[in-house]
Amino acid sequence: MKPFGVLDDVRKVFERSELGRGAREPLVAIESISCTFGEGELVSLLGPSGCGKTTLLRIIAGLMPKSAGSVRIRGEEVVEPHADFGFVFQTPNLMPWRSVIDNVLFPLEIIGRLDAAGRKRAHDLLEIVGLGDFHASRPHQLSGGMQQRVSLCRALVHQPTLILMDEPFGALDELTRMEMNDLLLDIRVRTRATVVFVTHSIAEAVYLSDRVLVFSRRPGRIVEDITVDLPYPRSAATRYTARFSELDQRASRALGVIKDVPPPVAHGASDDGPHGGVHGALQGGTHGH
Amino acid sequence: MVECTVRFRVGPMATERSAMFDLSRVDWQRLALPPLGLIVVVALWHVACVGLDIQVSVLPRPSLVLEAAIKRWDLLLSEGWVTLKETIYGFLLALVLGIPLAVAVANSRVLNLTFYPLLIALQSVPKVALAPILLVWLGIGIESKLAIAWLVAFFPVVVDTAAGLQSTPRELLELARSLRASPWQIFWKVQFPAALPFIMTGSKVAVTLAVIGAVIGEFVGSSEGLGYLLLSATSQINTPLAFASLFALAILGIVSYLAVVLVERLLAPLLPPTTRH
Ligand SMILES: Nc1ncnc2c1ncn2[C@@H]1O[C@H](COP(=O)(O)OP(=O)(O)O)[C@@H](O)[C@H]1O
Ligand SMILES: [Mg+2]
């Protein structure tokens, strides 16, 4: 895989002036982060809330200046946003005064590429996410999950080569979230884009990613770089394999949510009970023992 | 007047839930009750005048006011036109100057700190007190009325527009920035639509104040306009004509308010649904 993004010793300190009244000292949000990711890779940033994941994503996007270090995408230092990045926010963040299709077309309008091909792509994307019939609706007429799907289309419509996603499915119910995970994997195969995906869900990170970078508590550091060797395409069955629960457990351990359970035994049968999050990981561990 | 319509519409619907589905009944009340209120008040007025034998110079009977209005309709119309012009020009000037100032104040900390305190100070000066000074500067023509109308309408436009612009969700601004939107695109495609409901609210207040500003200007010194007509009618103890000008002023105020509401309706496709009535 060609190296696509290189982060070298990235540091972010919020100065007292940025923190508002009563801040006695600067806040070190990110201590030092170095990593690389390859072209077409799907990398998750997994960490407890407040550890600096959003901050790092904003820095990669060029939306926020870093205090030290370097971020290079395709060998080029990021100092300002690139129009061929796509950003999906934690909330759907749609414009209430625009219809669904006009929300999706917004990026093309801004970068001046609103042509017939772009319009067709926007409609196709809505079709893919199952909202073809809703192009004329207003955002408030859609459920949270549907709105987030529109926002996914908006992030993809200008064919970005790098998609940055900040806990995009965090506010959705479990069932919708799983659907969205499969949708994302499907879209990623079609677009072959590189994805940096922020989440605080262990199962989601393992299910989606080629690699999971586990963050420490604030100030953020990478404490573990887990390569997820589960084959694509992944499906619900993937979640019940022994390898999945091993990886899930390794991530949980790196996060520090399980301490007293010994590491899993590598062979493990694949007919373990259901897994997911800490609970699943604990179960897998007991079995392995 | 408009307030009153709203209350009549909401009242029965809120108390009797079934009325919500009985459209004919709600429509009937909406159509019949406001004129009925007017008729009741006018009838009481008439009864009071006749019953208490009030002099015409103090309070003329409704019929006399109507008579004066019909007899001098050309005068009311031409003077009303003058006041309407002062109101509209003052209001439009408040929009034309107020919105850019709000944009500057909302986007620049320096400009905010420089101009906002001044604006607050300006607002705390009673405009009536400024009227004589403006008259000295601008003369008794339309300019001084326009200036006062502008002055009173300016503040709500600036404050509401600035509040609207600042209410733009930060993540929408980041989305625009992540696509390298120009400042103009950010304003026109994100901030302005986000602020539009606020601008409409401010405009409705501003246009009502602009009418008051124009009349204050006419009171302080002028040779035309409904305010002038009202003053000269009272000085000649022509109370029916004074009352007729008063009603003309009320109609003028309602018409300009409804004009803004009409614009709001026309812009409805651009407004988030929660602010639509
Ligand atoms: N714009 C900002 N100004 C000041 N402090 C910030 C800002 N953004 C984030 N922080 C602080 O940096 C830390 C990391 O925040 P964030 O990156 O949002 O964490 P996460 O996304 O992992 O939950 C938090 O303590 C937060 O309060
Ligand atoms: Mg976050």
Coordinates of all heavy atoms in Angstrom, one line a residue, chain A residues 14 18-19 27 29 47-56 58 64 166-167 198 218, chain B residues 170, ligand 1:
Chain A
F14 N -4.0 23.8 23.7 CA -4.9 25.0 23.7 C -4.4 26.0 24.7 O -4.2 25.7 25.9 CB -6.3 24.6 24.0 CG -7.0 23.8 22.9 CD1 -7.2 22.4 23.0 CD2 -7.4 24.4 21.7 CE1 -7.8 21.7 22.0 CE2 -8.0 23.6 20.7 CZ -8.2 22.3 20.9
E18 N -7.6 30.6 24.6 CA -8.6 29.8 23.8 C -9.6 29.0 24.7 O -10.6 28.5 24.3 CB -7.9 28.7 22.9 CG -7.1 29.3 21.8 CD -6.3 28.2 21.1 OE1 -6.8 27.7 20.2 OE2 -5.1 27.9 21.6
L19 N -9.2 29.0 26.0 CA -10.0 28.1 26.9 C -11.1 28.8 27.7 O -11.9 28.2 28.4 CB -9.0 27.4 27.9 CG -8.1 26.4 27.3 CD1 -7.0 26.0 28.3 CD2 -8.8 25.2 26.7
L27 N -4.0 23.8 28.0 CA -4.4 22.4 28.0 C -3.8 21.6 26.9 O -3.9 22.0 25.7 CB -6.0 22.4 27.8 CG -6.7 21.1 27.9 CD1 -7.9 21.2 28.7 CD2 -7.0 20.6 26.5
A29 N -4.0 18.9 24.6 CA -5.0 18.0 24.1 C -4.4 16.8 23.5 O -4.8 15.7 23.7 CB -5.9 18.7 23.1
G47 N -10.8 5.9 21.1 CA -10.3 6.4 22.4 C -11.4 7.0 23.3 O -12.5 7.2 22.7
P48 N -11.1 7.1 24.6 CA -12.2 7.6 25.4 C -12.5 9.1 25.0 O -11.7 9.7 24.4 CB -11.5 7.6 26.8 CG -10.1 7.6 26.6 CD -9.9 6.9 25.3
S49 N -13.7 9.5 25.5 CA -14.1 10.8 25.0 C -13.3 11.9 25.7 O -12.8 11.7 26.9 CB -15.6 11.0 25.2 OG -15.9 11.9 26.3
G50 N -12.9 12.9 25.0 CA -12.1 14.0 25.5 C -10.6 13.8 25.4 O -9.8 14.5 25.8
C51 N -10.2 12.7 24.6 CA -8.8 12.4 24.5 C -8.1 13.1 23.3 O -6.9 13.0 23.1 CB -8.6 10.9 24.4 SG -9.1 10.2 22.8
G52 N -8.9 13.8 22.6 CA -8.3 14.6 21.5 C -8.5 14.0 20.1 O -7.9 14.5 19.1
K53 N -9.5 13.1 19.9 CA -9.7 12.5 18.6 C -10.3 13.6 17.6 O -9.7 13.7 16.5 CB -10.8 11.4 18.7 CG -10.4 10.3 19.7 CD -11.4 9.2 19.7 CE -12.8 9.6 20.2 NZ -12.9 10.0 21.6
T54 N -11.3 14.3 18.1 CA -11.8 15.3 17.2 C -10.8 16.4 16.8 O -10.7 16.8 15.7 CB -13.0 16.0 17.9 OG1 -14.0 15.0 18.1 CG2 -13.6 17.1 17.0
T55 N -10.0 16.7 17.8 CA -8.9 17.7 17.6 C -8.0 17.2 16.5 O -7.6 18.0 15.6 CB -8.2 18.0 18.9 OG1 -9.1 18.4 19.9 CG2 -7.1 19.0 18.7
L56 N -7.6 16.0 16.6 CA -6.6 15.4 15.6 C -7.3 15.4 14.2 O -6.6 15.8 13.3 CB -6.2 14.0 16.0 CG -5.1 13.4 15.1 CD1 -3.8 14.2 15.2 CD2 -4.9 11.9 15.4
R58 N -9.6 17.4 13.1 CA -9.6 18.7 12.6 C -8.3 19.2 12.1 O -8.2 19.9 11.1 CB -10.1 19.7 13.7 CG -11.5 19.6 14.1 CD -12.1 21.0 14.4 NE -13.5 20.9 14.5 CZ -14.1 20.8 15.7 NH1 -13.4 20.8 16.8 NH2 -15.4 20.8 15.8
M64 N -7.9 23.2 11.8 CA -7.3 23.7 13.0 C -5.8 23.7 13.0 O -5.2 22.7 12.5 CB -7.8 22.9 14.2 CG -7.5 23.3 15.6 SD -8.0 22.1 16.8 CE -9.6 22.8 17.2
D166 N -16.1 11.9 12.0 CA -16.0 12.1 13.5 C -17.2 11.5 14.2 O -18.2 12.1 14.3 CB -15.9 13.6 13.8 CG -15.6 13.9 15.2 OD1 -15.3 12.9 16.0 OD2 -15.6 15.0 15.6
E167 N -17.0 10.3 14.7 CA -18.1 9.6 15.4 C -19.4 9.8 14.7 O -20.4 10.2 15.3 CB -18.2 10.1 16.8 CG -17.0 9.8 17.7 CD -17.2 10.1 19.1 OE1 -18.3 10.0 19.6 OE2 -16.2 10.5 19.8
V198 N -13.2 8.3 13.4 CA -13.1 8.4 14.8 C -14.3 7.8 15.5 O -15.5 7.9 15.1 CB -13.1 9.9 15.2 CG1 -13.4 10.1 16.7 CG2 -11.8 10.5 14.8
R218 N -6.6 11.8 27.8 CA -5.9 13.1 27.5 C -4.7 13.2 28.5 O -4.8 12.9 29.7 CB -6.9 14.2 27.7 CG -6.5 15.5 27.0 CD -7.3 16.6 27.3 NE -7.0 17.1 28.6 CZ -7.9 17.4 29.6 NH1 -9.2 17.3 29.3 NH2 -7.5 17.9 30.7
Chain B
R170 N -21.7 26.3 14.4 CA -20.2 26.3 14.1 C -19.8 25.2 13.1 O -18.9 25.4 12.3 CB -19.5 26.1 15.5 CG -18.0 26.0 15.4 CD -17.5 25.5 16.8 NE -16.5 24.5 16.5 CZ -15.4 24.3 17.3 NH1 -15.3 25.1 18.4 NH2 -14.6 23.4 17.1
Ligands
LIG1 N1 -11.6 24.6 20.3 C1 -11.2 24.3 21.5 N2 -10.9 25.2 22.4 C2 -10.4 24.8 23.6 N3 -10.3 23.5 24.0 C3 -10.7 22.5 23.2 C4 -11.2 22.9 21.9 N4 -11.5 21.7 21.2 C5 -11.2 20.7 22.1 N5 -10.8 21.2 23.3 C6 -10.3 20.4 24.4 O1 -9.4 19.5 24.0 C7 -9.7 18.2 24.6 C8 -9.9 17.2 23.5 O2 -11.1 17.4 22.9 P1 -11.7 16.6 21.7 O3 -10.6 16.5 20.6 O4 -13.0 17.1 21.3 O5 -11.9 15.1 22.3 P2 -12.6 13.9 21.7 O6 -13.1 14.2 20.4 O7 -11.6 12.8 21.8 O8 -13.8 13.6 22.6 C9 -10.9 18.4 25.5 O9 -10.4 18.6 26.8 C10 -11.5 19.7 25.0 O10 -12.1 20.4 26.1

